[in-house]
Amino acid sequence: MDNRIDVLREEIKQKLSSVGDLAELDKLRVGYLGKKGSITALLKGMKDLTNEERKTFGAEVNKLKANAAELIDKKVEELNRRAIEAEIKLMPVFDVTTPPELTRGSYHPVTLSQRQCEAVFKSMGFTVEDYAEVVTDYECFEAVNIPKHHPARDMQDTYYLENGQLLKTQTSAAQNAILRKYGKNLVENGVPIKAIFPGRCFRNEATDACHENTFFQMEGMMVDKDISISNLIYFMKTMLSEVFRRDIKVRLRPGFFPFVEPGFELDINCEICGGEGCPSCKHSGWLELCPCGMIHPNVLREGGVDPEKYTGFAFGLGLTRLAMMKYGVKDIRDLNSGNLKALSQFTDDDN
Ligand code: FA5
């Protein structure tokens, strides 16, 4: 038997043991198994053999070829594994255990205030609704009686998307959807609409100690037969006394919002300076907290509720300002700062 096969087998084994990377290995593969490779040459040379010789020799060469291919594949695996191991060795070591100085996380003061308000209103039979932050011009303005070119829009400039949608300036943007969602139950089954809907609002405005471009409001609505201003005042008083858990001074004064008539501004005595005047209240001693009023007939009608039969109140609580007052945060911008040292010091009264 031709000993060229044994010679090649030994040679391949030897060379493979010293191959250090994939490029070198590929050269080796081409040198033996490629079109001009040594094993391929053996196969090509078989044409000069007799039939009988070709049969036995051919079988041996094919065995060698299969064996060489298998050894090369194994070497590829080995080289890949070694490369990954080397990469892992170079990686920095991460300590995945919790550092001892980190204790439990804490809720943001606005979240705490929102939860407290939600608990109070839920206990009085209100549902809590969620709503989008990106809304249409119709939802934010037209559906709540602020037609295009109405001067009230000047107070609420915002950020517009290229498709005409906008980042909502007020939680009132959900009023129409809430009326539509629960109006049928009111008309058909006499179930009053009682909903609150907290949400993030955006306005393009200069920031100061009590104004942010991104802040939270919590809207509330109640619609039924014979709802009056006294119902509105009752719910406002209950909410504030439950959230603050002490007597706080508030004042109610007339205010204009196109979606309520009559409309009121509900101000809170500044809890930072006690009414003396400071940057947090723009030196007035009072902070606008929760405008409110009786829902305008146009808004009810637009939401599919007959204003001849039903009346209702709505309010738009400044949730971020409430958190400021409740937790004694002097500058509203601290609440958006992401400063954990400052924000993690507040806890829920109930915990
Ligand atoms: C409104 O947004 C009305 N949608 C509220 C409303 C609802 C009135 C239902 C009547 C009936 P106003 O722009 O005043 O109104 O904002 C309401 C409250 O949100 C303010 O009193 C204040 O507490 C808070 N607020 C408004 N702008 C900012 C701001 N830039 N930064 C922080 N809080 C703000």
Side-chain angles (χ1 to χ4, degrees), residues 170 172 203 205 211-212 215 217 219 257 259-260 288-289 291-292 314-316 318 321 332:
Q170 50 180 355
S172 305
R203 291 188 194 178
E205 62 185 340
H211 287 87
E212 254 293 13
F215 58 97
Q217 285 185 347
E219 191 96 352
F257 301 91
F259 30 90
V260 284
E288 284 175 14
L289 183 71
C292 49
F315 62 87
R321 281 201 191 159
I332 197 168

mmCIF file with all atom_site columns, all heavy atoms in Angstrom, residues 170 172 203 205 211-212 215 217 219 257 259-260 288-289 291-292 314-316 318 321 332, ligand 1:
data_model
loop_
_atom_site.group_PDB
_atom_site.id
_atom_site.type_symbol
_atom_site.label_atom_id
_atom_site.label_alt_id
_atom_site.label_comp_id
_atom_site.label_asym_id
_atom_site.label_entity_id
_atom_site.label_seq_id
_atom_site.pdbx_PDB_ins_code
_atom_site.Cartn_x
_atom_site.Cartn_y
_atom_site.Cartn_z
_atom_site.occupancy
_atom_site.B_iso_or_equiv
_atom_site.pdbx_formal_charge
_atom_site.auth_seq_id
_atom_site.auth_comp_id
_atom_site.auth_asym_id
_atom_site.auth_atom_id
_atom_site.pdbx_PDB_model_num
ATOM   1   N N   . GLN A 1 170 ? -52.486 69.813 29.903 1.00 0.00 ? 170 GLN A N   1
ATOM   2   C CA  . GLN A 1 170 ? -53.374 69.741 31.060 1.00 0.00 ? 170 GLN A CA  1
ATOM   3   C C   . GLN A 1 170 ? -54.081 68.387 31.059 1.00 0.00 ? 170 GLN A C   1
ATOM   4   O O   . GLN A 1 170 ? -54.375 67.830 29.995 1.00 0.00 ? 170 GLN A O   1
ATOM   5   C CB  . GLN A 1 170 ? -54.401 70.876 31.006 1.00 0.00 ? 170 GLN A CB  1
ATOM   6   C CG  . GLN A 1 170 ? -55.132 70.990 29.671 1.00 0.00 ? 170 GLN A CG  1
ATOM   7   C CD  . GLN A 1 170 ? -56.141 72.123 29.633 1.00 0.00 ? 170 GLN A CD  1
ATOM   8   O OE1 . GLN A 1 170 ? -56.384 72.781 30.638 1.00 0.00 ? 170 GLN A OE1 1
ATOM   9   N NE2 . GLN A 1 170 ? -56.749 72.357 28.482 1.00 0.00 ? 170 GLN A NE2 1
ATOM   10  N N   . SER A 1 172 ? -56.970 68.013 31.693 1.00 0.00 ? 172 SER A N   1
ATOM   11  C CA  . SER A 1 172 ? -58.311 68.241 31.133 1.00 0.00 ? 172 SER A CA  1
ATOM   12  C C   . SER A 1 172 ? -58.447 67.614 29.747 1.00 0.00 ? 172 SER A C   1
ATOM   13  O O   . SER A 1 172 ? -59.563 67.415 29.256 1.00 0.00 ? 172 SER A O   1
ATOM   14  C CB  . SER A 1 172 ? -58.608 69.735 31.029 1.00 0.00 ? 172 SER A CB  1
ATOM   15  O OG  . SER A 1 172 ? -58.435 70.371 32.269 1.00 0.00 ? 172 SER A OG  1
ATOM   16  N N   . ARG A 1 203 ? -45.404 71.989 29.432 1.00 0.00 ? 203 ARG A N   1
ATOM   17  C CA  . ARG A 1 203 ? -45.647 73.334 28.904 1.00 0.00 ? 203 ARG A CA  1
ATOM   18  C C   . ARG A 1 203 ? -44.311 73.976 28.557 1.00 0.00 ? 203 ARG A C   1
ATOM   19  O O   . ARG A 1 203 ? -43.330 73.813 29.297 1.00 0.00 ? 203 ARG A O   1
ATOM   20  C CB  . ARG A 1 203 ? -46.390 74.210 29.925 1.00 0.00 ? 203 ARG A CB  1
ATOM   21  C CG  . ARG A 1 203 ? -47.821 73.741 30.125 1.00 0.00 ? 203 ARG A CG  1
ATOM   22  C CD  . ARG A 1 203 ? -48.632 74.684 30.972 1.00 0.00 ? 203 ARG A CD  1
ATOM   23  N NE  . ARG A 1 203 ? -49.862 73.995 31.384 1.00 0.00 ? 203 ARG A NE  1
ATOM   24  C CZ  . ARG A 1 203 ? -50.785 74.516 32.165 1.00 0.00 ? 203 ARG A CZ  1
ATOM   25  N NH1 . ARG A 1 203 ? -50.637 75.746 32.620 1.00 0.00 ? 203 ARG A NH1 1
ATOM   26  N NH2 . ARG A 1 203 ? -51.859 73.821 32.493 1.00 0.00 ? 203 ARG A NH2 1
ATOM   27  N N   . GLU A 1 205 ? -42.528 76.699 28.981 1.00 0.00 ? 205 GLU A N   1
ATOM   28  C CA  . GLU A 1 205 ? -42.504 77.968 29.717 1.00 0.00 ? 205 GLU A CA  1
ATOM   29  C C   . GLU A 1 205 ? -41.230 78.113 30.538 1.00 0.00 ? 205 GLU A C   1
ATOM   30  O O   . GLU A 1 205 ? -40.552 77.130 30.821 1.00 0.00 ? 205 GLU A O   1
ATOM   31  C CB  . GLU A 1 205 ? -43.747 78.126 30.584 1.00 0.00 ? 205 GLU A CB  1
ATOM   32  C CG  . GLU A 1 205 ? -43.946 77.108 31.675 1.00 0.00 ? 205 GLU A CG  1
ATOM   33  C CD  . GLU A 1 205 ? -45.288 77.355 32.361 1.00 0.00 ? 205 GLU A CD  1
ATOM   34  O OE1 . GLU A 1 205 ? -45.810 78.467 32.252 1.00 0.00 ? 205 GLU A OE1 1
ATOM   35  O OE2 . GLU A 1 205 ? -45.794 76.444 33.014 1.00 0.00 ? 205 GLU A OE2 1
ATOM   36  N N   . HIS A 1 211 ? -42.627 76.772 38.862 1.00 0.00 ? 211 HIS A N   1
ATOM   37  C CA  . HIS A 1 211 ? -43.039 76.402 37.506 1.00 0.00 ? 211 HIS A CA  1
ATOM   38  C C   . HIS A 1 211 ? -42.001 75.464 36.883 1.00 0.00 ? 211 HIS A C   1
ATOM   39  O O   . HIS A 1 211 ? -40.813 75.775 36.877 1.00 0.00 ? 211 HIS A O   1
ATOM   40  C CB  . HIS A 1 211 ? -43.158 77.631 36.599 1.00 0.00 ? 211 HIS A CB  1
ATOM   41  C CG  . HIS A 1 211 ? -44.347 78.473 36.908 1.00 0.00 ? 211 HIS A CG  1
ATOM   42  N ND1 . HIS A 1 211 ? -44.316 79.467 37.852 1.00 0.00 ? 211 HIS A ND1 1
ATOM   43  C CD2 . HIS A 1 211 ? -45.604 78.459 36.403 1.00 0.00 ? 211 HIS A CD2 1
ATOM   44  C CE1 . HIS A 1 211 ? -45.518 80.033 37.918 1.00 0.00 ? 211 HIS A CE1 1
ATOM   45  N NE2 . HIS A 1 211 ? -46.313 79.444 37.049 1.00 0.00 ? 211 HIS A NE2 1
ATOM   46  N N   . GLU A 1 212 ? -42.476 74.370 36.353 1.00 0.00 ? 212 GLU A N   1
ATOM   47  C CA  . GLU A 1 212 ? -41.615 73.431 35.628 1.00 0.00 ? 212 GLU A CA  1
ATOM   48  C C   . GLU A 1 212 ? -42.168 73.267 34.224 1.00 0.00 ? 212 GLU A C   1
ATOM   49  O O   . GLU A 1 212 ? -43.351 73.542 33.986 1.00 0.00 ? 212 GLU A O   1
ATOM   50  C CB  . GLU A 1 212 ? -41.628 72.066 36.333 1.00 0.00 ? 212 GLU A CB  1
ATOM   51  C CG  . GLU A 1 212 ? -40.363 71.741 37.100 1.00 0.00 ? 212 GLU A CG  1
ATOM   52  C CD  . GLU A 1 212 ? -39.151 71.532 36.202 1.00 0.00 ? 212 GLU A CD  1
ATOM   53  O OE1 . GLU A 1 212 ? -39.186 71.856 35.003 1.00 0.00 ? 212 GLU A OE1 1
ATOM   54  O OE2 . GLU A 1 212 ? -38.134 71.051 36.716 1.00 0.00 ? 212 GLU A OE2 1
ATOM   55  N N   . PHE A 1 215 ? -44.603 68.603 34.624 1.00 0.00 ? 215 PHE A N   1
ATOM   56  C CA  . PHE A 1 215 ? -45.155 68.519 35.980 1.00 0.00 ? 215 PHE A CA  1
ATOM   57  C C   . PHE A 1 215 ? -46.394 67.638 35.965 1.00 0.00 ? 215 PHE A C   1
ATOM   58  O O   . PHE A 1 215 ? -46.882 67.268 34.891 1.00 0.00 ? 215 PHE A O   1
ATOM   59  C CB  . PHE A 1 215 ? -45.507 69.926 36.491 1.00 0.00 ? 215 PHE A CB  1
ATOM   60  C CG  . PHE A 1 215 ? -46.493 70.646 35.611 1.00 0.00 ? 215 PHE A CG  1
ATOM   61  C CD1 . PHE A 1 215 ? -47.853 70.649 35.903 1.00 0.00 ? 215 PHE A CD1 1
ATOM   62  C CD2 . PHE A 1 215 ? -46.067 71.295 34.457 1.00 0.00 ? 215 PHE A CD2 1
ATOM   63  C CE1 . PHE A 1 215 ? -48.769 71.299 35.065 1.00 0.00 ? 215 PHE A CE1 1
ATOM   64  C CE2 . PHE A 1 215 ? -46.981 71.934 33.617 1.00 0.00 ? 215 PHE A CE2 1
ATOM   65  C CZ  . PHE A 1 215 ? -48.323 71.941 33.915 1.00 0.00 ? 215 PHE A CZ  1
ATOM   66  N N   . GLN A 1 217 ? -50.384 66.813 37.095 1.00 0.00 ? 217 GLN A N   1
ATOM   67  C CA  . GLN A 1 217 ? -51.680 67.310 37.567 1.00 0.00 ? 217 GLN A CA  1
ATOM   68  C C   . GLN A 1 217 ? -52.557 66.099 37.897 1.00 0.00 ? 217 GLN A C   1
ATOM   69  O O   . GLN A 1 217 ? -52.262 64.980 37.461 1.00 0.00 ? 217 GLN A O   1
ATOM   70  C CB  . GLN A 1 217 ? -52.401 68.111 36.473 1.00 0.00 ? 217 GLN A CB  1
ATOM   71  C CG  . GLN A 1 217 ? -51.853 69.488 36.214 1.00 0.00 ? 217 GLN A CG  1
ATOM   72  C CD  . GLN A 1 217 ? -52.704 70.268 35.206 1.00 0.00 ? 217 GLN A CD  1
ATOM   73  O OE1 . GLN A 1 217 ? -53.562 69.708 34.527 1.00 0.00 ? 217 GLN A OE1 1
ATOM   74  N NE2 . GLN A 1 217 ? -52.455 71.560 35.108 1.00 0.00 ? 217 GLN A NE2 1
ATOM   75  N N   . GLU A 1 219 ? -56.608 65.478 37.565 1.00 0.00 ? 219 GLU A N   1
ATOM   76  C CA  . GLU A 1 219 ? -57.920 66.031 37.228 1.00 0.00 ? 219 GLU A CA  1
ATOM   77  C C   . GLU A 1 219 ? -58.997 65.205 37.919 1.00 0.00 ? 219 GLU A C   1
ATOM   78  O O   . GLU A 1 219 ? -58.815 64.007 38.159 1.00 0.00 ? 219 GLU A O   1
ATOM   79  C CB  . GLU A 1 219 ? -58.099 65.908 35.710 1.00 0.00 ? 219 GLU A CB  1
ATOM   80  C CG  . GLU A 1 219 ? -59.265 66.661 35.154 1.00 0.00 ? 219 GLU A CG  1
ATOM   81  C CD  . GLU A 1 219 ? -58.824 68.030 34.611 1.00 0.00 ? 219 GLU A CD  1
ATOM   82  O OE1 . GLU A 1 219 ? -57.660 68.396 34.828 1.00 0.00 ? 219 GLU A OE1 1
ATOM   83  O OE2 . GLU A 1 219 ? -59.662 68.699 33.994 1.00 0.00 ? 219 GLU A OE2 1
ATOM   84  N N   . PHE A 1 257 ? -61.561 79.713 33.172 1.00 0.00 ? 257 PHE A N   1
ATOM   85  C CA  . PHE A 1 257 ? -61.129 78.588 32.340 1.00 0.00 ? 257 PHE A CA  1
ATOM   86  C C   . PHE A 1 257 ? -62.281 78.305 31.387 1.00 0.00 ? 257 PHE A C   1
ATOM   87  O O   . PHE A 1 257 ? -63.427 78.184 31.854 1.00 0.00 ? 257 PHE A O   1
ATOM   88  C CB  . PHE A 1 257 ? -60.853 77.344 33.206 1.00 0.00 ? 257 PHE A CB  1
ATOM   89  C CG  . PHE A 1 257 ? -59.799 77.588 34.247 1.00 0.00 ? 257 PHE A CG  1
ATOM   90  C CD1 . PHE A 1 257 ? -60.168 78.038 35.515 1.00 0.00 ? 257 PHE A CD1 1
ATOM   91  C CD2 . PHE A 1 257 ? -58.462 77.398 33.968 1.00 0.00 ? 257 PHE A CD2 1
ATOM   92  C CE1 . PHE A 1 257 ? -59.206 78.299 36.470 1.00 0.00 ? 257 PHE A CE1 1
ATOM   93  C CE2 . PHE A 1 257 ? -57.497 77.662 34.931 1.00 0.00 ? 257 PHE A CE2 1
ATOM   94  C CZ  . PHE A 1 257 ? -57.860 78.111 36.187 1.00 0.00 ? 257 PHE A CZ  1
ATOM   95  N N   . PHE A 1 259 ? -63.479 75.866 30.089 1.00 0.00 ? 259 PHE A N   1
ATOM   96  C CA  . PHE A 1 259 ? -64.249 74.617 30.240 1.00 0.00 ? 259 PHE A CA  1
ATOM   97  C C   . PHE A 1 259 ? -65.088 74.561 31.515 1.00 0.00 ? 259 PHE A C   1
ATOM   98  O O   . PHE A 1 259 ? -65.697 73.542 31.814 1.00 0.00 ? 259 PHE A O   1
ATOM   99  C CB  . PHE A 1 259 ? -63.328 73.393 30.157 1.00 0.00 ? 259 PHE A CB  1
ATOM   100 C CG  . PHE A 1 259 ? -61.936 73.654 30.660 1.00 0.00 ? 259 PHE A CG  1
ATOM   101 C CD1 . PHE A 1 259 ? -61.607 73.449 31.991 1.00 0.00 ? 259 PHE A CD1 1
ATOM   102 C CD2 . PHE A 1 259 ? -60.954 74.110 29.778 1.00 0.00 ? 259 PHE A CD2 1
ATOM   103 C CE1 . PHE A 1 259 ? -60.324 73.697 32.435 1.00 0.00 ? 259 PHE A CE1 1
ATOM   104 C CE2 . PHE A 1 259 ? -59.665 74.361 30.233 1.00 0.00 ? 259 PHE A CE2 1
ATOM   105 C CZ  . PHE A 1 259 ? -59.349 74.162 31.555 1.00 0.00 ? 259 PHE A CZ  1
ATOM   106 N N   . VAL A 1 260 ? -65.063 75.641 32.315 1.00 0.00 ? 260 VAL A N   1
ATOM   107 C CA  . VAL A 1 260 ? -65.937 75.674 33.506 1.00 0.00 ? 260 VAL A CA  1
ATOM   108 C C   . VAL A 1 260 ? -66.665 77.015 33.582 1.00 0.00 ? 260 VAL A C   1
ATOM   109 O O   . VAL A 1 260 ? -66.165 78.039 33.127 1.00 0.00 ? 260 VAL A O   1
ATOM   110 C CB  . VAL A 1 260 ? -65.140 75.442 34.827 1.00 0.00 ? 260 VAL A CB  1
ATOM   111 C CG1 . VAL A 1 260 ? -64.764 73.991 35.003 1.00 0.00 ? 260 VAL A CG1 1
ATOM   112 C CG2 . VAL A 1 260 ? -63.929 76.337 34.906 1.00 0.00 ? 260 VAL A CG2 1
ATOM   113 N N   . GLU A 1 288 ? -51.146 78.922 43.727 1.00 0.00 ? 288 GLU A N   1
ATOM   114 C CA  . GLU A 1 288 ? -52.282 78.366 42.971 1.00 0.00 ? 288 GLU A CA  1
ATOM   115 C C   . GLU A 1 288 ? -52.149 76.860 42.947 1.00 0.00 ? 288 GLU A C   1
ATOM   116 O O   . GLU A 1 288 ? -51.130 76.323 42.493 1.00 0.00 ? 288 GLU A O   1
ATOM   117 C CB  . GLU A 1 288 ? -52.269 78.899 41.532 1.00 0.00 ? 288 GLU A CB  1
ATOM   118 C CG  . GLU A 1 288 ? -52.741 80.322 41.435 1.00 0.00 ? 288 GLU A CG  1
ATOM   119 C CD  . GLU A 1 288 ? -52.620 80.880 40.020 1.00 0.00 ? 288 GLU A CD  1
ATOM   120 O OE1 . GLU A 1 288 ? -52.433 80.109 39.072 1.00 0.00 ? 288 GLU A OE1 1
ATOM   121 O OE2 . GLU A 1 288 ? -52.695 82.118 39.891 1.00 0.00 ? 288 GLU A OE2 1
ATOM   122 N N   . LEU A 1 289 ? -53.158 76.181 43.453 1.00 0.00 ? 289 LEU A N   1
ATOM   123 C CA  . LEU A 1 289 ? -53.013 74.734 43.600 1.00 0.00 ? 289 LEU A CA  1
ATOM   124 C C   . LEU A 1 289 ? -54.037 73.937 42.804 1.00 0.00 ? 289 LEU A C   1
ATOM   125 O O   . LEU A 1 289 ? -53.691 72.951 42.147 1.00 0.00 ? 289 LEU A O   1
ATOM   126 C CB  . LEU A 1 289 ? -53.138 74.349 45.087 1.00 0.00 ? 289 LEU A CB  1
ATOM   127 C CG  . LEU A 1 289 ? -52.929 72.874 45.377 1.00 0.00 ? 289 LEU A CG  1
ATOM   128 C CD1 . LEU A 1 289 ? -51.470 72.496 45.184 1.00 0.00 ? 289 LEU A CD1 1
ATOM   129 C CD2 . LEU A 1 289 ? -53.371 72.520 46.790 1.00 0.00 ? 289 LEU A CD2 1
ATOM   130 N N   . PRO A 1 291 ? -57.301 74.784 40.519 1.00 0.00 ? 291 PRO A N   1
ATOM   131 C CA  . PRO A 1 291 ? -58.430 75.463 39.897 1.00 0.00 ? 291 PRO A CA  1
ATOM   132 C C   . PRO A 1 291 ? -59.576 74.486 39.657 1.00 0.00 ? 291 PRO A C   1
ATOM   133 O O   . PRO A 1 291 ? -59.342 73.287 39.460 1.00 0.00 ? 291 PRO A O   1
ATOM   134 C CB  . PRO A 1 291 ? -57.862 75.982 38.579 1.00 0.00 ? 291 PRO A CB  1
ATOM   135 C CG  . PRO A 1 291 ? -56.568 75.308 38.380 1.00 0.00 ? 291 PRO A CG  1
ATOM   136 C CD  . PRO A 1 291 ? -56.094 74.811 39.696 1.00 0.00 ? 291 PRO A CD  1
ATOM   137 N N   . CYS A 1 292 ? -60.779 75.008 39.677 1.00 0.00 ? 292 CYS A N   1
ATOM   138 C CA  . CYS A 1 292 ? -61.934 74.116 39.595 1.00 0.00 ? 292 CYS A CA  1
ATOM   139 C C   . CYS A 1 292 ? -63.171 74.899 39.149 1.00 0.00 ? 292 CYS A C   1
ATOM   140 O O   . CYS A 1 292 ? -63.103 76.123 38.995 1.00 0.00 ? 292 CYS A O   1
ATOM   141 C CB  . CYS A 1 292 ? -62.183 73.473 40.953 1.00 0.00 ? 292 CYS A CB  1
ATOM   142 S SG  . CYS A 1 292 ? -62.198 74.675 42.310 1.00 0.00 ? 292 CYS A SG  1
ATOM   143 N N   . ALA A 1 314 ? -65.514 69.975 37.892 1.00 0.00 ? 314 ALA A N   1
ATOM   144 C CA  . ALA A 1 314 ? -64.193 69.453 37.497 1.00 0.00 ? 314 ALA A CA  1
ATOM   145 C C   . ALA A 1 314 ? -63.139 70.256 38.243 1.00 0.00 ? 314 ALA A C   1
ATOM   146 O O   . ALA A 1 314 ? -63.364 71.417 38.596 1.00 0.00 ? 314 ALA A O   1
ATOM   147 C CB  . ALA A 1 314 ? -63.986 69.598 35.994 1.00 0.00 ? 314 ALA A CB  1
ATOM   148 N N   . PHE A 1 315 ? -62.019 69.599 38.512 1.00 0.00 ? 315 PHE A N   1
ATOM   149 C CA  . PHE A 1 315 ? -60.901 70.328 39.124 1.00 0.00 ? 315 PHE A CA  1
ATOM   150 C C   . PHE A 1 315 ? -59.594 69.836 38.512 1.00 0.00 ? 315 PHE A C   1
ATOM   151 O O   . PHE A 1 315 ? -59.532 68.728 37.974 1.00 0.00 ? 315 PHE A O   1
ATOM   152 C CB  . PHE A 1 315 ? -60.885 70.161 40.651 1.00 0.00 ? 315 PHE A CB  1
ATOM   153 C CG  . PHE A 1 315 ? -60.697 68.730 41.112 1.00 0.00 ? 315 PHE A CG  1
ATOM   154 C CD1 . PHE A 1 315 ? -59.444 68.182 41.286 1.00 0.00 ? 315 PHE A CD1 1
ATOM   155 C CD2 . PHE A 1 315 ? -61.807 67.930 41.372 1.00 0.00 ? 315 PHE A CD2 1
ATOM   156 C CE1 . PHE A 1 315 ? -59.280 66.870 41.706 1.00 0.00 ? 315 PHE A CE1 1
ATOM   157 C CE2 . PHE A 1 315 ? -61.652 66.610 41.792 1.00 0.00 ? 315 PHE A CE2 1
ATOM   158 C CZ  . PHE A 1 315 ? -60.395 66.079 41.960 1.00 0.00 ? 315 PHE A CZ  1
ATOM   159 N N   . GLY A 1 316 ? -58.578 70.672 38.566 1.00 0.00 ? 316 GLY A N   1
ATOM   160 C CA  . GLY A 1 316 ? -57.268 70.304 38.017 1.00 0.00 ? 316 GLY A CA  1
ATOM   161 C C   . GLY A 1 316 ? -56.182 70.576 39.057 1.00 0.00 ? 316 GLY A C   1
ATOM   162 O O   . GLY A 1 316 ? -55.581 71.654 39.075 1.00 0.00 ? 316 GLY A O   1
ATOM   163 N N   . GLY A 1 318 ? -52.786 70.699 40.938 1.00 0.00 ? 318 GLY A N   1
ATOM   164 C CA  . GLY A 1 318 ? -51.354 70.692 40.603 1.00 0.00 ? 318 GLY A CA  1
ATOM   165 C C   . GLY A 1 318 ? -50.643 69.741 41.554 1.00 0.00 ? 318 GLY A C   1
ATOM   166 O O   . GLY A 1 318 ? -50.277 70.113 42.672 1.00 0.00 ? 318 GLY A O   1
ATOM   167 N N   . ARG A 1 321 ? -47.073 70.604 42.677 1.00 0.00 ? 321 ARG A N   1
ATOM   168 C CA  . ARG A 1 321 ? -47.096 71.689 43.682 1.00 0.00 ? 321 ARG A CA  1
ATOM   169 C C   . ARG A 1 321 ? -47.613 71.174 45.023 1.00 0.00 ? 321 ARG A C   1
ATOM   170 O O   . ARG A 1 321 ? -47.154 71.600 46.076 1.00 0.00 ? 321 ARG A O   1
ATOM   171 C CB  . ARG A 1 321 ? -47.990 72.832 43.203 1.00 0.00 ? 321 ARG A CB  1
ATOM   172 C CG  . ARG A 1 321 ? -47.275 73.684 42.200 1.00 0.00 ? 321 ARG A CG  1
ATOM   173 C CD  . ARG A 1 321 ? -47.899 75.040 42.105 1.00 0.00 ? 321 ARG A CD  1
ATOM   174 N NE  . ARG A 1 321 ? -47.353 75.731 40.946 1.00 0.00 ? 321 ARG A NE  1
ATOM   175 C CZ  . ARG A 1 321 ? -47.940 76.735 40.342 1.00 0.00 ? 321 ARG A CZ  1
ATOM   176 N NH1 . ARG A 1 321 ? -49.107 77.181 40.774 1.00 0.00 ? 321 ARG A NH1 1
ATOM   177 N NH2 . ARG A 1 321 ? -47.375 77.307 39.312 1.00 0.00 ? 321 ARG A NH2 1
ATOM   178 N N   . ILE A 1 332 ? -39.536 73.692 42.983 1.00 0.00 ? 332 ILE A N   1
ATOM   179 C CA  . ILE A 1 332 ? -40.187 72.583 42.243 1.00 0.00 ? 332 ILE A CA  1
ATOM   180 C C   . ILE A 1 332 ? -39.179 71.827 41.373 1.00 0.00 ? 332 ILE A C   1
ATOM   181 O O   . ILE A 1 332 ? -39.325 70.638 41.123 1.00 0.00 ? 332 ILE A O   1
ATOM   182 C CB  . ILE A 1 332 ? -41.355 73.149 41.385 1.00 0.00 ? 332 ILE A CB  1
ATOM   183 C CG1 . ILE A 1 332 ? -42.299 72.027 40.952 1.00 0.00 ? 332 ILE A CG1 1
ATOM   184 C CG2 . ILE A 1 332 ? -40.865 73.934 40.189 1.00 0.00 ? 332 ILE A CG2 1
ATOM   185 C CD1 . ILE A 1 332 ? -43.609 72.518 40.349 1.00 0.00 ? 332 ILE A CD1 1
HETATM 186 C C1  . FA5 B 2 .   ? -55.352 74.020 34.156 1.00 0.00 ? 1   FA5 B C1  1
HETATM 187 O O1  . FA5 B 2 .   ? -54.449 73.344 33.679 1.00 0.00 ? 1   FA5 B O1  1
HETATM 188 C C2  . FA5 B 2 .   ? -56.777 73.537 34.079 1.00 0.00 ? 1   FA5 B C2  1
HETATM 189 N N1  . FA5 B 2 .   ? -56.865 72.461 33.193 1.00 0.00 ? 1   FA5 B N1  1
HETATM 190 C C3  . FA5 B 2 .   ? -57.258 73.172 35.474 1.00 0.00 ? 1   FA5 B C3  1
HETATM 191 C C4  . FA5 B 2 .   ? -58.727 72.994 35.610 1.00 0.00 ? 1   FA5 B C4  1
HETATM 192 C C5  . FA5 B 2 .   ? -59.285 71.742 35.472 1.00 0.00 ? 1   FA5 B C5  1
HETATM 193 C C6  . FA5 B 2 .   ? -59.539 74.113 35.880 1.00 0.00 ? 1   FA5 B C6  1
HETATM 194 C C7  . FA5 B 2 .   ? -60.646 71.584 35.590 1.00 0.00 ? 1   FA5 B C7  1
HETATM 195 C C8  . FA5 B 2 .   ? -60.917 73.938 36.015 1.00 0.00 ? 1   FA5 B C8  1
HETATM 196 C C9  . FA5 B 2 .   ? -61.451 72.699 35.873 1.00 0.00 ? 1   FA5 B C9  1
HETATM 197 P P1  . FA5 B 2 .   ? -53.777 75.770 35.254 1.00 0.00 ? 1   FA5 B P1  1
HETATM 198 O O2  . FA5 B 2 .   ? -53.026 76.125 34.028 1.00 0.00 ? 1   FA5 B O2  1
HETATM 199 O O3  . FA5 B 2 .   ? -54.005 76.852 36.224 1.00 0.00 ? 1   FA5 B O3  1
HETATM 200 O O4  . FA5 B 2 .   ? -55.189 75.139 34.865 1.00 0.00 ? 1   FA5 B O4  1
HETATM 201 O O5  . FA5 B 2 .   ? -53.010 74.580 35.974 1.00 0.00 ? 1   FA5 B O5  1
HETATM 202 C C10 . FA5 B 2 .   ? -53.592 73.903 37.048 1.00 0.00 ? 1   FA5 B C10 1
HETATM 203 C C11 . FA5 B 2 .   ? -52.595 73.723 38.167 1.00 0.00 ? 1   FA5 B C11 1
HETATM 204 O O6  . FA5 B 2 .   ? -51.491 73.001 37.655 1.00 0.00 ? 1   FA5 B O6  1
HETATM 205 C C12 . FA5 B 2 .   ? -52.002 75.027 38.701 1.00 0.00 ? 1   FA5 B C12 1
HETATM 206 O O7  . FA5 B 2 .   ? -52.815 75.573 39.695 1.00 0.00 ? 1   FA5 B O7  1
HETATM 207 C C13 . FA5 B 2 .   ? -50.700 74.532 39.261 1.00 0.00 ? 1   FA5 B C13 1
HETATM 208 O O8  . FA5 B 2 .   ? -50.884 73.981 40.533 1.00 0.00 ? 1   FA5 B O8  1
HETATM 209 C C14 . FA5 B 2 .   ? -50.304 73.467 38.287 1.00 0.00 ? 1   FA5 B C14 1
HETATM 210 N N2  . FA5 B 2 .   ? -49.402 74.001 37.254 1.00 0.00 ? 1   FA5 B N2  1
HETATM 211 C C15 . FA5 B 2 .   ? -49.714 74.692 36.147 1.00 0.00 ? 1   FA5 B C15 1
HETATM 212 N N3  . FA5 B 2 .   ? -48.612 75.035 35.461 1.00 0.00 ? 1   FA5 B N3  1
HETATM 213 C C16 . FA5 B 2 .   ? -47.578 74.530 36.131 1.00 0.00 ? 1   FA5 B C16 1
HETATM 214 C C17 . FA5 B 2 .   ? -46.150 74.517 35.942 1.00 0.00 ? 1   FA5 B C17 1
HETATM 215 N N4  . FA5 B 2 .   ? -45.587 75.078 34.876 1.00 0.00 ? 1   FA5 B N4  1
HETATM 216 N N5  . FA5 B 2 .   ? -45.387 73.905 36.861 1.00 0.00 ? 1   FA5 B N5  1
HETATM 217 C C18 . FA5 B 2 .   ? -45.953 73.296 37.920 1.00 0.00 ? 1   FA5 B C18 1
HETATM 218 N N6  . FA5 B 2 .   ? -47.264 73.257 38.171 1.00 0.00 ? 1   FA5 B N6  1
HETATM 219 C C19 . FA5 B 2 .   ? -48.075 73.864 37.291 1.00 0.00 ? 1   FA5 B C19 1
#
